[in-house]
Amino acid sequence: MFQPSEDKIKSLIGRMTVDEKVNLLSGRGLWKTAAIERLGIPSIVMTDGAYGVRYSTTQIDAGDSDEDSLQAFLQLVEQQADASGGMFGTTRAATCFPNGNLLGCSWDVDLAYRMGAALAAECRNFGVHLLLGPGINIRRTPLAGRAYEYFSEDPVISGDLAAAVISGLQDNGVGASLKHFACNNSEMERTTTSSDVDERALREIYLAGFERAIEKSAPWTVMSSYNLLNGVQAAENRWLLTTVLHEEWDYGGLVVSDWHAIKDRGAALLAGTDLDMPESQPRKRRLHAAIEAGDVAPEAVDAACAKVLELVCKCNAHERLHTAIDLEEHHALSRLIAGESMVLLRNEGKTLPIDPKSLGRLLVVGDGAVLPVIQGSGSATTNPYRVDSPFVQIAARTGVGLDVQHLPFASTANAEIAASISVIVEAASKADATVVFAENEKSRHGEGNDRDTLRLAASHDALIHALAAAGRKVVVVLSMPDAVEMPWLGEVDAVLAGFYAGQGGGEAIARILFGEQNPCGKLSASMPARMRDIPGWHSYPGEQGRHLYSESIFVGYRFYDLKAIAPAFPFGHGLSYTTFSYEDLAINVQEIVPGMACTASVTIRNTGSVAGKEIVQLYVRPVKPGLKRPIRELKAFVKLHLEPGEAKTATLALVERDFQYFDAVRSAWVLDAEAFVIEAGASSRDIRLEVTLPCRMERPALPVLLPNSPTALVFAHPKAEAALVTFFVAKLSITGAEAMALLAKTKGSFLGFYDTLSWYVGDSVREADIAEIFEGLNDV
């Protein structure tokens, strides 16, 4: 077992040649670190993806040759999830769990932990030491090709669920790689386009989930992203990887590049990217040359080598390879997670659940009912161990009183669509209810391919319109990477959002349709009514290599609230087969003060007739903040199970950061508001209770004064006026009243202070005199 002490690691590094160090920092093949047999250093194995272990036998088991590795990698990321052969032909079967777009709707950290533990078990069985996930980039826009991988538009959900998955993995001996750091929010020219984001938005939105997950779970690795961040390649961004990640957040783990993300290997190493993946002979040669030329200091190389060896030690210490697993148990877990996450968006007239004893005839329509799209496309795609067919699971509920029929309907355009719709409408006229399985255009999502529309696949809208017009009950089950437009929304009776539900989604859908599972998922990202309502849509996906995040901190529901735009469905929305009341919101403090933490308690009561789960969302709304802020922001949540009539009191913690904003001028988190409203809600647009607490603000930072600072800034300083009066009395031999009158003349000028003053005193007061006074004030 490779378990050297800290001193032994230093000794090993001291014995390495430059070639060996370069090899260690460059990986081996596509999925391994380099072994150094001379020194007894083993390699470790890593692989994608966050929702299922993708173990390629040809890429991992067949050897470490660099030959054809680029082609193999490109085939991987371009693989379509529903394609036959290809990657699946050489990939071991594993459990395909619900993707991030659905898991995020669970708001359930315990389930996320269980999924992480199951992934760890499959990694151990396959001989994998490090799983490359979870990914928590903010779902800034539903058009993003990899939105399906990510949990939410909000960093609180993203950070908490990621921490749970990471802990589930690492508590069970398998490392995690939190990715993609940072602002990998578009697939358009993803390796060359700069995500241009102001620092406040970075701190409050795009980095906050990473900071939260790292604090709670300490992932063994963090993966830098493909894109440039404010003009600097993320893998080569020292501010991001060293200043923020290591120095400010005190992260002690290893930073690994995304695959082939590094452009300048020497710059990346100096910035803080320790491990370059996968192996690249040109990048290895460039690093070797940079070291030999003295462009990369030996200390930086040795520090990165130490990080790699520390990771190898961790993996080796927890190694339990080829342990047995129960894939049937994991399939059951996949079903459970899907059922706990699906979101009932609409349910008019209590259409759902279906009573199989009284319905009579049920028509199921769509190819997705038989061959469901269970996951997104790209490097996160998994070869599923088994897949539940929704129609098979629905048909299993049939009995004496219920007849179920399926009619196909393709998701690709063809000449027979009009005829197919006519046949389906005729069949629906004889059915008591129709369940339509609808999905988005398959070719317009996934890694490397952003969507350019929120519409469903060809003619699915027309089919749903036609079925609704037939006058029968219509239930729509949606499979999609993120939000879709629903022009028929007001015409149908029920809508169930399944997102990408994993291999157990078919059974989960059947359970919800027939009431065996009470839906309890809630949206972790807003659903816009139309594409042009998407925050930042007007600047997406950027031009000439730059993508301006024009909405700044107003991401997702923050934007819809600010603009008073009604989304199709708000953040946090989700219906149940029961109802809940909110009672007795209380906060354990009387005011918000610097450095404090507090707790909120609220009682939730199941006022319906069936057991169910409610996701309680706690928002903070600032009153008259110093800088413009979102109307409300999610700060905590909890999921409660309640029997009919049962009440439980939820306690949710709030910390100082939950009340602060980031002031880029001061480069600090600041508490600045007149008061805060603590809100308990069932969604961001369904606030049930609120409590207002006054805020005792921090002493505001004094402005830095220069001779020609604006006059308003000068008089905002509490000691400026008195200091200037004292100076004028002595310098100009005038009375205090005359000095005050002189100062009064300068107030309101749009010129700088000294330029304004000189109109009245000429050269009798020098600019250097004012500079000296202001320097003294700045030191206060």
Side-chain angles (χ1 to χ4, degrees):
M1 180 177 289
F2 182 71
Q3 286 297 292
S5 64
E6 183 177 342
D7 288 340
K8 179 65 173 177
I9 287 176
K10 291 180 180 178
S11 175
L12 286 172
I13 294 171
R15 294 164 58 194
M16 287 183 194
T17 66
V18 172
D19 282 341
E20 287 171 333
K21 292 178 181 180
V22 169
N23 286 338
L24 186 66
L25 299 178
S26 304
R28 179 63 173 161
L30 277 172
W31 305 111
K32 298 179 183 179
T33 60
I36 303 177
E37 295 180 4
R38 181 180 71 87
L39 299 175
I41 299 172
S43 67
I44 61 170
V45 176
M46 60 193 78
T47 194
D48 293 313
Y51 311 108
V53 185
R54 194 191 51 74
Y55 189 100
S56 170
T57 55
T58 53
Q59 295 174 5
I60 297 176
D61 295 343
D64 298 327
S65 172
D66 191 50
E67 184 178 356
D68 297 328
S69 66
L70 178 59
Q71 187 61 35
F73 170 71
L74 294 176
Q75 288 175 351
L76 161 67
V77 296
E78 293 168 2
Q79 173 74 31
Q80 290 295 305
D82 57 345
S84 59
M87 179 182 67
F88 287 171
T90 61
T91 304
R92 295 180 64 176
T95 307
C96 178
F97 289 100
N99 288 184
N101 58 3
L102 184 60
L103 178 61
C105 296
S106 74
W107 299 57
D108 194 321
V109 293
D110 293 331
L111 276 181
Y113 181 93
R114 290 177 62 184
M115 190 183 86
L119 289 168
E122 295 190 24
C123 283
R124 294 197 309 267
N125 179 262
F126 293 167
V128 172
H129 302 90
L130 180 69
L131 192 65
L132 301 172
I136 62 165
N137 292 103
I138 291 295
R139 277 161 60 190
R140 173 179 177 251
T141 169
L143 296 170
R146 299 184 79 171
Y148 77 90
E149 293 187 43
Y150 306 137
F151 297 130
S152 179
E153 67 188 19
D154 189 274
V156 171
I157 301 177
S158 299
D160 286 2
L161 290 184
V165 173
I166 292 165
S167 295
L169 282 162
Q170 295 182 170
D171 287 352
N172 290 279
V174 174
S177 192
L178 184 63
K179 64 183 187 182
H180 305 87
F181 195 59
C183 297
N184 191 168
N185 302 107
S186 171
E187 293 299 287
M188 302 295 286
E189 300 178 355
R190 58 180 175 162
T191 65
T192 57
T193 294
S194 175
S195 297
D196 290 353
V197 194
D198 66 85
E199 187 178 4
R200 186 176 172 199
L202 274 173
R203 298 282 193 166
E204 294 185 16
I205 304 293
Y206 296 100
L207 302 185
F210 286 93
E211 183 180 12
R212 194 176 182 98
I214 288 168
E215 181 180 6
K216 289 173 179 265
S217 66
W220 293 358
T221 71
V222 168
M223 183 188 295
S224 58
S225 57
Y226 278 126
N227 54 284
L228 290 78
L229 178 60
N230 292 329
V232 181
Q233 205 78 40
E236 301 161 16
N237 193 315
R238 182 172 176 80
W239 175 84
L240 180 69
L241 302 180
T242 296
T243 302
V244 174
L245 180 61
H246 286 305
E247 296 175 357
E248 294 185 17
W249 297 354
D250 198 28
Y251 176 65
L254 175 140
V255 175
V256 58
S257 72
D258 205 342
W259 268 228
H260 296 294
I262 292 175
K263 302 294 192 292
D264 184 329
R265 181 60 184 114
L269 191 143
L270 292 174
T273 300
D274 305 297
L275 179 60
D276 176 9
M277 290 297 294
E279 183 177 17
S280 164
Q281 296 302 329
R283 291 198 298 271
K284 287 167 72 172
R285 287 192 293 270
R286 291 173 197 140
L287 178 57
H288 194 289
I291 294 171
E292 292 292 332
D295 296 333
V296 177
E299 295 81 8
V301 176
D302 291 354
C305 287
K307 288 285 181 64
V308 175
L309 292 179
E310 288 165 5
L311 175 64
V312 173
C313 285
K314 280 183 182 177
C315 293
N316 203 257
H318 295 87
E319 190 173 70
R320 287 179 283 165
L321 303 183
H322 312 301
T323 53
I325 54 171
D326 187 341
L327 288 178
E328 282 300 307
E329 182 180 292
H330 291 181
H331 183 65
L333 179 60
S334 178
R335 288 174 164 179
L336 174 64
I337 295 172
E340 290 280 322
S341 305
M342 289 183 182
V343 184
L344 184 60
L345 297 174
R346 178 177 171 87
N347 192 25
E348 294 300 295
K350 297 184 178 179
T351 296
L352 296 178
I354 295 168
D355 183 355
K357 296 179 181 179
S358 62
L359 186 63
R361 178 172 293 178
L362 178 67
L363 177 64
V364 179
V365 178
D367 291 1
V370 178
L371 296 173
V373 178
I374 65 171
Q375 60 185 321
S377 300
S379 58
T381 306
T382 306
N383 182 4
Y385 158 67
R386 58 180 285 195
V387 177
D388 287 340
S389 162
F391 177 70
V392 169
Q393 304 307 123
I394 290 170
R397 270 75 178 174
T398 60
V400 176
L402 179 63
D403 174 51
V404 178
Q405 177 189 7
H406 174 259
L407 289 177
F409 191 79
S411 60
T412 54
N414 63 69
E416 306 299 324
I417 284 179
S420 296
I421 291 177
S422 296
V423 170
I424 291 169
V425 169
E426 175 63 23
S429 68
K430 301 172 184 177
D432 296 288
T434 301
V435 179
V436 181
F437 283 77
E439 58 195 60
N440 69 295
E441 184 73 40
K442 290 184 180 179
S443 63
R444 291 183 175 178
H445 74 281
E447 186 168 358
N449 186 22
D450 286 357
R451 291 193 287 169
D452 59 8
T453 179
L454 295 182
R455 295 192 183 96
L456 294 178
S459 296
H460 277 206
D461 285 334
L463 169 65
I464 296 169
H465 278 304
L467 285 168
R472 296 291 184 175
K473 290 183 178 180
V474 177
V475 176
V476 178
V477 178
L478 291 169
S479 171
M480 71 285 201
D482 208 317
V484 292
E485 290 179 349
M486 294 174 254
W488 35 261
L489 182 60
E491 305 167 22
V492 301
D493 298 278
V495 181
L496 179 66
F499 293 96
Y500 288 157
Q503 67 183 52
E507 169 67 9
I509 289 168
R511 289 176 182 175
I512 291 173
L513 292 179
F514 289 99
E516 299 164 22
Q517 162 84 51
N518 192 344
C520 56
K522 296 203 174 190
L523 292 177
S524 58
S526 308
M527 284 194 171
R530 54 185 186 171
M531 190 162 70
R532 70 187 68 174
D533 289 342
I534 298 171
W537 177 76
H538 64 287
S539 60
Y540 180 84
E543 297 176 323
Q544 297 181 322
R546 306 199 80 90
H547 182 184
L548 177 64
Y549 285 42
S550 54
E551 73 280 16
S552 185
I553 60 173
F554 297 99
V555 177
Y557 67 91
R558 295 165 171 82
F559 177 84
Y560 296 109
D561 286 349
L562 176 73
K563 300 287 287 184
I565 295 173
F569 295 103
F571 174 82
H573 170 77
L575 303 178
S576 171
Y577 295 153
T578 189
T579 55
F580 302 96
S581 67
Y582 284 57
E583 306 165 6
D584 303 324
L585 175 63
I587 315 297
N588 71 336
V589 298
Q590 299 301 310
E591 65 176 347
I592 306 300
V593 299
M596 63 153 288
C598 65
T599 58
S601 61
V602 60
T603 298
I604 310 298
R605 188 180 306 276
N606 185 342
T607 54
S609 58
V610 297
K613 293 183 179 180
E614 175 68 339
I615 297 166
V616 185
Q617 302 159 44
L618 197 68
Y619 295 88
V620 170
R621 176 160 57 90
V623 178
K624 295 183 180 179
L627 296 181
K628 194 167 189 176
R629 297 181 67 174
I631 291 174
R632 62 178 51 84
E633 294 184 277
L634 180 76
K635 297 301 178 182
F637 62 90
V638 67
K639 192 170 188 176
L640 300 177
H641 177 272
L642 296 165
E643 295 294 326
E646 183 182 13
K648 290 181 180 177
T649 298
T651 301
L652 302 102
L654 295 171
V655 298
E656 181 180 28
R657 176 71 67 83
D658 293 327
F659 300 97
Q660 296 174 317
Y661 61 80
F662 188 82
D663 187 334
V665 172
R666 300 188 229 180
S667 192
W669 291 93
V670 175
L671 178 66
D672 186 0
E674 183 178 284
F676 289 96
V677 183
I678 315 300
E679 303 175 328
S683 83
S684 64
R685 293 290 176 94
D686 185 6
I687 303 302
R688 303 291 183 87
L689 298 170
E690 64 178 47
V691 172
T692 301
L693 298 178
C695 175
R696 191 195 319 157
M697 294 180 288
E698 298 168 322
R699 184 171 71 90
L702 297 176
V704 175
L705 301 182
L706 299 172
N708 261 319
S709 291
T711 57
L713 192 67
V714 171
F715 291 109
H717 195 293
K719 297 184 177 181
E721 192 162 345
L724 289 167
V725 167
T726 299
F727 170 75
F728 290 150
V729 168
K731 179 71 173 178
L732 302 177
S733 301
I734 59 178
T735 66
E738 290 171 330
M740 291 287 290
L742 173 61
L743 281 177
K745 294 179 181 179
T746 69
K747 292 181 179 180
S749 171
F750 68 87
L751 302 179
F753 176 78
Y754 179 76
D755 286 356
T756 301
L757 179 67
S758 66
W759 281 95
Y760 304 106
V761 299
D763 295 333
S764 58
V765 173
R766 299 175 304 148
E767 189 169 353
D769 296 331
I770 300 300
E772 184 177 351
I773 294 170
F774 286 177
E775 285 174 8
L777 293 173
N778 291 336
D779 291 337
V780 173

